Amino acid sequence: MFWTWYLCGGLSDLADGPVARKLSQQSALGAKLDSAADLAFILCAGIVVFRSASFPLWVLAAAGGIVLVRFATYAVGYRKYRTFAALHTWMNKATGLLLFLFPVLFRLLGVGAASGIICGIAMLAAVEELILMARSETLDRDCKGIWIR
């Protein structure tokens, strides 16, 4: 049952942005809801995965560090813009895709390699978003990244 909902959640997340753009239905509220849904999806899937597999301590420490950077970013965004602020950068999208593919990567590469790749990309994405949030004068949720301005 979990894998059915996991697949449905991941596929609907991949489809919602392109469908909204195709139908000219994108909105600021939709962007906020997309970010909140991404966060909820990752938290729920993470709980299931962490409860069903054994991870090295370094993976737990890395995940904790990424969470701290993310919360720092959200705090900076809230302080500056008085709203939940998350960006749809290419690095964040790559992180989301890798997290969605984790079960496959885990089977193909093993827990250490899969976790290392995902934690590395996720930390780069989190730090990039924190830098963008701290430096930006206006909130641009669709900012593509630090190198694309």
Side-chain angles (χ1 to χ4, degrees), residues 2 6 39-52 99:
F2 169 77
Y6 183 82
L39 183 59
F41 180 78
I42 294 302
L43 288 174
C44 291
I47 289 168
V48 170
V49 169
F50 275 106
R51 291 175 79 191
S52 63
L99 286 168

Side-chain angles (χ1 to χ4, degrees), residues 11-121:
L11 293 176
S12 69
D13 184 45
L14 290 172
D16 70 346
V19 169
R21 283 187 289 282
K22 179 85 171 167
L23 299 174
S24 297
Q25 295 296 311
Q26 63 268 51
S27 68
L29 176 60
K32 283 183 194 178
L33 290 174
D34 181 59
S35 294
D38 290 346
L39 183 59
F41 180 78
I42 294 302
L43 288 174
C44 291
I47 289 168
V48 170
V49 169
F50 275 106
R51 291 175 79 191
S52 63
S54 179
F55 289 90
L57 186 58
W58 70 265
V59 174
L60 301 176
I66 294 163
V67 167
L68 289 175
V69 174
R70 289 283 176 192
F71 280 132
T73 301
Y74 299 148
V76 168
Y78 187 80
R79 184 170 178 252
K80 286 178 82 168
Y81 306 114
R82 297 292 182 236
T83 187
F84 175 72
L87 308 180
H88 296 118
T89 66
W90 287 358
M91 288 294 292
N92 280 340
K93 290 177 184 192
T95 300
L97 178 62
L98 287 171
L99 286 168
F100 178 67
L101 294 175
F102 178 77
V104 175
L105 295 173
F106 174 76
R107 293 282 186 213
L108 292 174
L109 305 174
V111 70
S115 298
I117 291 167
I118 292 171
C119 286
I121 298 297

